[in-house]
Amino acid sequence: MAITVDPEPVWDQPIDVPEKWIESVDDNVAARLPEGSQVKGITPYGASYWTRTAEIQTEQADGASQSFFLKVTQNEVGKAMVSGEYESMKALHTTSPDLTPEPIAWGTFAQADHVHFFLCDFVDMTDDLPDVEASMKMLAELHAKSTSPTGKYGFHIPTLQGTVPQFTAWTESWEDFFAKSIKLVFENEERSQGSDEEVQQLCKETLSKVVPRLLRPLETGGRHIEPRLIHGDIWDGNTSTNVATSLPVIYDATCIYAHNELELAPLRPVRHRMGKQYVKAYFRNYPISPPEEDQDDRNALYCLRWDMNCSTLYPGNLRYRKMCVEVMKTLTEKYADGYEGWAKARGEEVVSR
């Protein structure tokens, strides 16, 4: 239930959270275990750039052995990370209990009020990628079953992409929500990596031309989409196969109610092992939103948001920024006429926002 480290890491800094916090089980963590649990041990488990993670071994009141997964963070950002993950996993588990570990609690250590934790069931997982057809069928079913409690796009508390809060305020239209979301990502990336005139201009044109062109048609001309609960960070580091059930499992969620196709953004980069075959399988179970011919470019735009956030997370490493510049050049050149030019060419009424 932790980030799988890239074989060529983009970040070589030490983990901010001292290992001592997972050498024993804090009283507040122990208090959230099932009644009658006896802690038998705790061992490091998994790998993460920003947290410490561990397996807690227990003996239950009936004598059975049971393990739990613990994630430990620090300070206010860490508190937001674990509270957001808990609420995300709770929403996912409520909708699709076979797809996720059951979240148990989040809280603050008794022995250190700046240390925070997320606790959930421990799932023994394989080292293999999840089955293509089974995983995408279950993901599509999650999206189909979930509905926004407000009918709007967003989430009820902040959720983070890595250590960076994403835009979650409830918003009526998808175009408006996504524009505010990616604008925040652009601003965060500039603060992290520094100002660049070319990047600023490309970001401006992306917001003014590409976002309206690719997203406004989803909600105009008789077309319609609904906000769906998405995991928010589906890639091979956050998915696996449950050893006990042989079913796919997803974890490390950063949920929002969004256009369901946003979920597929992390499956675009060729650096990830989960790729096009998963996207194709997904669309065998959930129809492409019209205009269907825009799907691949929408995916590129959605992936731009994801990769720009990756750039934010690793200050000084311009690998992601360079990739994003090329994507923005391609999209801004292709859609220089924006939404208005597209609508007029199709004979559709131009809808202003």
Side-chain angles (χ1 to χ4, degrees):
M1 263 76 76
I3 295 170
T4 300
V5 179
D6 193 312
E8 296 182 4
V10 294
W11 192 240
D12 59 2
Q13 302 301 309
I15 299 172
D16 287 338
V17 183
E19 192 170 6
K20 67 179 182 178
W21 298 126
I22 58 168
E23 291 175 348
S24 62
V25 178
D26 182 82
D27 288 347
N28 282 355
V29 175
R32 303 310 299 266
L33 295 172
E35 187 175 355
S37 297
Q38 294 185 37
V39 174
K40 294 300 182 180
I42 181 171
T43 54
Y45 178 86
S48 172
Y49 288 135
W50 304 289
T51 68
R52 293 286 178 181
T53 51
E55 176 188 356
I56 301 173
Q57 300 93 18
T58 73
E59 181 179 303
Q60 295 301 292
D62 62 0
S65 297
Q66 186 173 351
S67 288
F68 299 89
F69 176 80
L70 177 70
K71 177 180 288 186
V72 179
T73 65
Q74 290 189 147
N75 305 321
E76 288 305 306
V77 169
K79 185 177 183 180
M81 288 170 68
V82 293
S83 63
E85 181 170 358
Y86 173 76
E87 291 296 329
S88 293
M89 294 300 293
K90 184 170 72 171
L92 292 172
H93 192 75
T94 298
T95 306
S96 296
D98 292 336
L99 191 55
T100 66
E102 183 174 5
I104 297 171
W106 77 273
T108 300
F109 271 26
Q111 60 182 309
D113 62 9
H114 70 290
V115 180
H116 313 286
F117 68 90
F118 167 73
L119 182 70
C120 71
D121 279 349
F122 183 88
V123 175
D124 191 15
M125 295 179 289
T126 71
D127 293 328
D128 301 323
L129 294 178
D131 179 79
V132 174
E133 295 297 333
S135 61
M136 292 299 101
K137 184 175 185 292
M138 293 181 75
L139 192 64
E141 289 173 349
L142 164 70
H143 295 160
K145 289 190 292 186
S146 61
T147 56
S148 168
T150 66
K152 299 178 181 180
Y153 299 92
F155 204 63
H156 62 283
I157 67 165
T159 54
L160 281 69
Q161 294 178 304
T163 58
V164 183
Q166 62 180 336
F167 181 78
T168 56
W170 294 116
T171 307
E172 290 281 355
S173 86
W174 173 239
E175 179 192 344
D176 188 23
F177 179 90
F178 186 83
K180 291 175 179 175
S181 176
I182 199 168
K183 183 174 185 289
L184 177 62
V185 170
F186 288 158
E187 292 168 350
N188 289 336
E189 199 274 347
E190 184 175 67
R191 281 192 292 270
S192 174
Q193 301 290 16
S195 178
D196 180 277
E197 187 174 337
E198 180 186 33
V199 174
Q200 286 179 334
Q201 184 60 32
L202 287 169
C203 289
K204 182 180 178 181
E205 292 177 14
T206 298
L207 285 167
S208 64
K209 297 289 187 180
V210 180
V211 171
R213 163 61 188 86
L214 289 174
L215 303 191
R216 197 169 303 173
L218 291 167
E219 302 174 291
T220 58
R223 294 170 292 268
H224 181 71
I225 57 172
E226 295 281 349
R228 302 295 182 180
L229 180 67
I230 68 166
H231 172 283
D233 197 14
I234 289 288
W235 66 292
D236 42 272
N238 291 336
T239 60
S240 188
T241 301
N242 186 323
V243 170
T245 66
S246 297
L247 293 173
V249 60
I250 60 176
Y251 44 93
D252 267 358
T254 174
C255 285
I256 52 175
Y257 288 89
H259 180 209
N260 61 290
E261 290 180 15
L262 184 67
E263 189 83 278
L264 308 178
L267 304 182
R268 188 178 189 87
V270 295
R271 64 184 181 273
H272 291 167
R273 294 187 296 152
M274 290 177 68
K276 290 182 179 180
Q277 72 274 34
Y278 286 85
V279 175
K280 291 178 180 177
Y282 177 84
F283 286 127
R284 286 194 285 271
N285 292 279
Y286 203 113
I288 297 173
S289 299
E292 290 85 353
E293 63 271 20
D294 287 347
Q295 184 274 318
D296 189 61
D297 284 341
R298 284 196 301 263
N299 184 248
L301 176 63
Y302 293 163
C303 187
L304 173 65
R305 169 185 173 273
W306 201 79
D307 273 343
M308 283 292 272
N309 190 75
C310 289
S311 182
T312 302
L313 292 170
Y314 309 112
N317 186 326
L318 297 179
R319 162 186 168 187
Y320 293 109
R321 173 179 273 193
K322 291 174 182 177
M323 290 189 293
C324 291
V325 164
E326 294 308 309
V327 171
M328 286 191 286
K329 283 180 178 179
T330 298
L331 292 175
T332 54
E333 289 173 6
K334 184 173 182 178
Y335 297 118
D337 292 336
Y339 160 75
E340 289 79 7
W342 174 85
K344 290 175 181 176
R346 286 172 62 107
E348 288 197 11
E349 178 184 358
V350 175
V351 178
S352 299
R353 291 213 169 137

